[in-house]
């Protein structure tokens, strides 16, 4: 899972605060065994790749990996993952 995550040109993509080089770590943290780490990652995702409803060049690259996390046999916080995907695709 997430085998292609590091292949995306994250440092050339942008999110709300500049270069999106931190997005792969955030995506990995969405699958953390630790709930607080996942919650922090969701907060980061909403603050970075979907900041106040705005999408950035990093957003479409992240969506495929979010779908990958949601489609695993036992996804963590599936409802939150699906909400994030929907918001990134369709807005609020």
């Amino acid at each position: 899972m997430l085998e292609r995550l590091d292949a995306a040109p994250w440092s050339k993509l942008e999110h709300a605060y500049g270069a999106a080089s931190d997005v792969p770590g955030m995506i990995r943290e969405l699958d953390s065994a630790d709930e607080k780490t996942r919650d922090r990652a969701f907060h980061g995702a909403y603050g970075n790749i979907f900041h106040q409803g705005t999408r950035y060049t990093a957003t479409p690259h992240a969506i495929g990996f979010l779908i990958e996390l949601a489609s695993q046999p036992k996804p963590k916080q599936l409802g939150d993952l699906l909400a994030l995907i929907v918001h990134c695709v369709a807005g609020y």
Side-chain angles (χ1 to χ4, degrees), residues 27 39 46 53 55:
I27 290 172
D39 288 343
Y46 277 100
R55 287 106 164 162

Side-chain angles (χ1 to χ4, degrees), residues 6-42:
D6 293 321
W10 298 110
S11 63
K12 295 179 182 174
L13 300 171
E14 293 188 356
H15 59 44
Y17 298 101
S21 54
D22 58 341
V23 172
M26 177 203 66
I27 290 172
R28 287 185 178 95
E29 287 181 352
L30 291 171
D31 194 43
S32 172
D34 181 65
E35 184 177 0
K36 287 183 182 182
T37 299
R38 289 192 311 272
D39 288 343
R40 186 175 52 246
F42 277 108

Side-chain angles (χ1 to χ4, degrees), residues 16 45-56 59 84 86-92:
Y46 277 100
N48 291 337
I49 62 171
F50 187 70
H51 184 72
Q52 297 178 347
T54 303
R55 287 106 164 162
Y56 301 87
T59 307
L84 178 58
V86 168
H87 289 143
C88 286
V89 171
Y92 285 121

Side-chain angles (χ1 to χ4, degrees), residues 50-74:
F50 187 70
H51 184 72
Q52 297 178 347
T54 303
R55 287 106 164 162
Y56 301 87
T57 56
T59 307
H61 289 271
I63 292 170
F65 298 108
L66 299 175
I67 291 170
E68 192 173 339
L69 290 177
S71 66
Q72 61 186 322
K74 292 185 179 183

